[in-house]
Amino acid sequence: MLVPLTVLSVSLAWILLVSILARTQFPNRFLTKPHLGLAIWFTALTSSFVASVSGILGLGAAYLYSVERASFAEFGDSDWLLGFAWSFVPWVLLAGFGVLLALINLRIETPIIASRRLEHDFQLAKRDMPPFEGVSVSSIPLPIHYALATKNEIILSQFTIDQLSEEQLQAVLWHELGHIKGNHQTLKRIAGLVALLTKPMSISRVFNDSVEVLCEESADNFARRFCSPETVNSVRVLMRGSN
């Protein structure tokens, strides 16, 4: 009984420690080394997930131990009462899991529907452009500065194409290519999903915001390899709010 409860306690303590460190020490600490920052954030996320699984396993082991002890105990003694109390745990967890699934479904259904509609509209509005460094490039008729990198495509608004100089446009393309090379879309989706599913927790918002900032810094650093820092910085101001 002691070992499972120790595993549960250590798991909860680790999750609490990571949450405190991530909230107080991680934000704005890795802007000069965004790749390191992203690695640390996702390592913290992975370790918290592993600790959660370990805690659940520890809880399950404690349940099995208590039920086994109760099966050999006399009716009404301490082991029997403990086993009887633990026998309710699976049903409580099952009910909680059902409620959690329902809440998750409510949280993600609307964003998924909106994303599919937006993707459909983009597909209808896109116009092909010459590829950039082997990556497909498309334009859409938006009257604002806009740039987006998917897994294998760069999408620019026609306004951005018309308003920027050739040098600035190259900086935007290199920046978006940096997002593709860094697989930032996947990282942002994971962070966004975590923030959506754990919305009441402040750490999830900090995680999502930090991943967003670090991805942008990483893409800027990539663009600075091929364009002047001044051009990259000026474009960043113009394109602020786009991806």
Side-chain angles (χ1 to χ4, degrees):
M1 185 67 167
L2 180 61
V3 173
L5 290 180
T6 300
V7 171
L8 178 60
S9 300
V10 171
S11 299
L12 292 175
W14 177 255
I15 293 172
L16 180 61
L17 176 62
V18 169
S19 298
I20 293 173
L21 288 176
R23 192 164 49 243
T24 60
Q25 302 298 320
F26 290 3
N28 302 320
R29 202 175 178 90
F30 307 104
L31 296 181
T32 58
K33 297 180 179 179
H35 286 90
L36 175 62
L38 288 169
I40 290 175
W41 269 109
F42 279 91
T43 298
L45 176 67
T46 303
S47 69
S48 296
F49 176 77
V50 171
S52 299
V53 173
S54 299
I56 292 172
L57 293 176
L59 185 64
Y63 163 75
L64 293 175
Y65 177 83
S66 298
V67 171
E68 183 181 6
R69 288 287 299 271
S71 64
F72 296 102
E74 295 291 334
F75 178 81
D77 69 11
S78 59
D79 282 341
W80 185 91
L81 290 174
L82 183 61
F84 178 75
W86 273 95
S87 67
F88 289 96
V89 171
W91 303 107
V92 173
L93 292 178
L94 185 62
F97 185 67
V99 172
L100 180 62
L101 282 180
L103 291 175
I104 289 174
N105 185 62
L106 288 175
R107 284 187 180 277
I108 68 176
E109 184 178 15
T110 300
I112 287 176
I113 292 174
S115 176
R116 287 174 178 172
R117 288 176 178 173
L118 182 61
E119 183 178 358
H120 178 262
D121 292 341
F122 267 32
Q123 293 298 328
L124 293 177
K126 284 193 312 183
R127 298 292 182 270
D128 291 337
M129 295 177 58
F132 180 76
E133 297 295 316
V135 175
S136 299
V137 181
S138 301
S139 66
I140 53 174
L142 287 178
I144 57 172
H145 280 302
Y146 183 83
L148 174 69
T150 66
K151 280 189 175 182
N152 52 13
E153 183 182 21
I154 298 173
I155 302 174
L156 304 175
S157 67
Q158 191 60 48
F159 182 84
T160 294
I161 297 170
D162 294 338
Q163 295 295 317
L164 297 187
S165 67
E166 183 62 30
E167 185 179 7
Q168 289 175 321
L169 187 58
Q170 287 290 309
V172 172
L173 290 170
W174 282 115
H175 175 95
E176 299 305 322
L177 186 61
H179 282 312
I180 295 175
K181 296 290 187 182
N183 202 23
H184 292 164
Q185 185 191 45
T186 299
L187 300 183
K188 289 181 181 181
R189 283 184 173 179
I190 294 173
L193 182 62
V194 171
L196 182 65
L197 297 181
T198 58
K199 194 173 183 179
M201 300 174 61
S202 61
I203 181 59
S204 65
R205 296 192 297 274
V206 174
F207 172 57
N208 187 42
D209 293 343
S210 296
V211 169
E212 184 75 29
V213 170
L214 291 172
C215 284
E216 293 304 315
E217 291 292 337
S218 176
D220 275 348
N221 288 344
F222 185 82
R224 290 188 184 102
R225 300 180 192 176
F226 309 95
C227 306
S228 68
E230 294 77 16
T231 302
V232 174
N233 293 339
S234 67
V235 167
R236 180 168 184 170
V237 173
L238 290 173
M239 302 295 294
R240 185 170 294 167
S242 64
N243 296 314

